[in-house]
Amino acid sequence: MAKISLGSTFSIFHSRHIRPPLAGCHVTKMTVADHHPSLEVVGGARDRFLPSLHTNLRLPYNPFPLIAWNRHVETIFASFFRSTPQVRLRRECLRVKDGGSVALDWISSDHRRLPPDSPVLILLPGLTGGSQDSYVRHMLTKANGKGWRVVVFNSRGCGESPVTTPQFYSASFLGDTYEVVKHVGARYPEANLYAVGWSLGANILVRYLGKESHACPLSGAVSLCNPFNLVIADEDFHKGFNNVYDKALASTLCKIFKKHALLFEDMGGEFNIPLAANAKSVRDFDEGLTRVSFGFKSVDDYYSNSSSCDLIKHVKRPLLCIQAENDPIAPSRAIPREDIEENPNCMLIVTPKGGHLGWVAGAEAPLGAPWTDPVVMDFLEYLERGASKTGKFLGDSEAVQCSSGELHHIEV
């Protein structure tokens, strides 16, 4: 069960030219009939974004028989049996300001094949997840097939990313995200930047969007299976069958930790290294290591102050959120519906089924890409078309120059 993953963690140091994705675009007023009643579609930006998605959203959400009848069956099936597209990747290890490292995986030939202004899509996988995961690979290949330059952001210790300091990542820590976005933007200054995050990675992405607000250099983003409220998610994580996911994730976190245990040998203070190394739950790991590393008084304090639900109201870039009503790990009751409905930049789609990172439905079910992938690409291409019509403008923050990180390249 250790393969199941949740989502991952993460002032812009320079300002870059980005294009307003929607300025000048024709907006058509749509009615409820323009999406199938099996889907919940709400949000302050609903009338702006829905026209770009009507091809997929007018059809009923039809989960694949036998697999999607139970949310746990669908979650586990997608994790273990969904196909994983084969792609040759080029790894770039980026050394960040505090001496830590993250791994960026690019498609090998793209730096020669694609023009410099091709849109760039940054992928933020789930907790313990990385570029090896099937849901990441499907999104990567689908976007690349449409001419997008795609890079997977593997957090510290994930996807075999090196750990070079006694600190992993967390739901609260955005430092690595700032540096990755800055680095990618500096490498492709003529391109628009977008991002897609899953589960805890989605939580981090939405927190980043809210923190950056008007200064955000991304031209748009998509959040999938976002737990939104980590306190509520933690409550549900200890109920019934969810304990299986909890133990599986804790086991994977322990394996990552033990690979780098020497870095943590002399940690004193409130750190409980034996608890983290032998954690039986994600909460144990966070109590022994994560919450202390990032300065929180307790695990509940950490979860409460790391939830993206509190920052939705500050998001100023186009954001599409897709959730499954029956998600066992990202509870529907945690979705900040009111804030999404009041934010003119956000739209929410809730499917009746899908499990966690499942969505075994649509044309490619049961072994192919999840139902969400074509919806995500329709949304991103809509934003990019609007951007290409209107040209570029200078971002909100002032341009500053900063030194580049330490880079290493390897084929994976």
Side-chain angles (χ1 to χ4, degrees):
M1 295 296 298
K3 189 180 175 185
I4 296 172
S5 63
L6 279 181
S8 68
T9 119
F10 294 42
S11 90
I12 295 305
F13 301 97
H14 80 299
S15 168
R16 56 189 301 277
H17 288 80
I18 57 175
R19 303 164 181 145
L22 296 170
C25 292
H26 177 68
V27 177
T28 304
K29 187 78 172 176
M30 301 191 76
T31 66
V32 172
D34 285 300
H35 71 83
H36 195 271
S38 62
L39 301 167
E40 177 188 355
V41 182
V42 298
R46 178 185 177 279
D47 291 337
R48 293 163 64 199
F49 298 159
L50 195 54
S52 68
L53 307 175
H54 72 275
T55 301
N56 289 296
L57 301 191
R58 280 180 177 167
L59 301 174
Y61 182 85
N62 287 323
F64 195 81
L66 301 179
I67 294 169
W69 69 274
N70 178 281
R71 61 183 185 167
H72 300 301
V73 171
E74 184 168 14
T75 299
I76 293 168
F77 178 89
S79 179
F80 284 94
F81 301 108
R82 175 169 278 149
S83 63
T84 302
Q86 296 302 303
V87 185
R88 186 170 178 77
L89 300 174
R90 177 176 56 87
R91 170 154 291 189
E92 174 185 7
C93 290
L94 177 65
R95 185 68 61 89
V96 295
K97 280 191 172 182
D98 68 356
S101 301
V102 298
L104 304 179
D105 287 338
W106 306 80
I107 295 180
S108 286
S109 59
D110 279 1
H111 62 294
R112 295 187 300 268
R113 182 177 65 88
L114 295 176
D117 62 348
S118 297
V120 179
L121 182 60
I122 303 170
L123 304 182
L124 285 73
L127 177 63
T128 76
S131 55
Q132 75 280 359
D133 290 323
S134 63
Y135 64 90
V136 175
R137 289 289 184 98
H138 277 287
M139 187 76 258
L140 184 151
T141 54
K142 191 168 290 291
N144 190 248
K146 292 180 177 291
W148 288 58
R149 193 185 312 276
V150 189
V151 58
V152 183
F153 172 10
N154 298 280
S155 293
R156 305 183 190 205
C158 297
E160 299 299 325
S161 179
V163 176
T164 52
T165 63
Q167 177 179 298
F168 287 119
Y169 65 98
S170 76
S172 64
F173 181 57
L174 299 178
D176 290 350
T177 306
Y178 291 140
E179 295 206 44
V180 166
V181 173
K182 167 198 156 186
H183 171 72
V184 173
R187 172 165 287 190
Y188 296 103
E190 298 177 50
N192 280 329
L193 305 184
Y194 302 84
V196 173
W198 291 267
S199 197
L200 195 59
N203 184 78
I204 291 157
L205 175 58
V206 172
R207 292 192 73 246
Y208 170 78
L209 292 166
K211 288 283 188 181
E212 286 297 275
S213 195
H214 287 289
C216 182
L218 299 178
S219 294
V222 181
S223 161
L224 300 155
C225 290
N226 191 338
F228 283 114
N229 188 318
L230 301 185
V231 175
I232 292 176
D234 178 62
E235 290 173 3
D236 283 17
F237 213 35
H238 307 294
K239 297 177 180 177
F241 193 85
N242 278 8
N243 284 290
V244 174
Y245 307 131
D246 193 11
K247 290 177 182 178
L249 282 164
S251 174
T252 304
L253 286 168
C254 288
K255 287 178 183 175
I256 294 172
F257 177 80
K258 287 174 181 176
K259 285 182 182 177
H260 310 284
L262 289 176
L263 288 170
F264 297 85
E265 258 189 344
D266 300 320
M267 304 292 283
E270 295 183 52
F271 286 98
N272 189 334
I273 301 305
L275 178 62
N278 300 284
K280 302 302 180 186
S281 68
V282 173
R283 189 181 180 90
D284 283 350
F285 189 86
D286 289 339
E287 172 60 41
L289 187 69
T290 311
R291 67 97 182 166
V292 187
S293 293
F294 295 95
F296 294 98
K297 296 177 182 177
S298 66
V299 174
D300 290 328
D301 181 40
Y302 163 50
Y303 292 159
S304 178
N305 287 285
S306 305
S307 298
S308 60
C309 59
D310 299 325
L311 288 167
I312 279 284
K313 61 176 70 74
H314 301 301
V315 172
K316 302 301 181 185
R317 293 289 180 261
L319 172 65
L320 173 64
C321 303
I322 309 180
Q323 303 286 123
E325 180 68 33
N326 70 343
D327 192 320
I329 293 170
S332 176
R333 66 192 178 98
I335 300 171
R337 284 179 168 83
E338 186 175 327
D339 285 344
I340 291 173
E341 289 180 17
E342 292 178 358
N343 189 323
N345 304 296
C346 298
M347 187 172 93
L348 168 70
I349 300 171
V350 182
T351 59
K353 295 184 182 294
H356 189 72
L357 301 175
W359 284 302
V360 184
E364 297 187 38
L367 299 177
W371 174 87
T372 49
D373 279 11
V375 179
V376 170
M377 284 313 304
D378 281 352
F379 175 72
L380 293 176
E381 294 216 288
Y382 167 67
L383 299 182
E384 180 63 12
R385 283 195 303 272
S388 65
K389 287 180 181 179
T390 55
K392 297 183 173 185
F393 73 100
L394 188 63
D396 292 330
S397 53
E398 300 229 353
V400 292
Q401 186 65 39
C402 85
S403 60
S404 60
E406 191 175 321
L407 306 179
H408 307 277
H409 298 270
I410 187 172
E411 298 286 339
V412 298

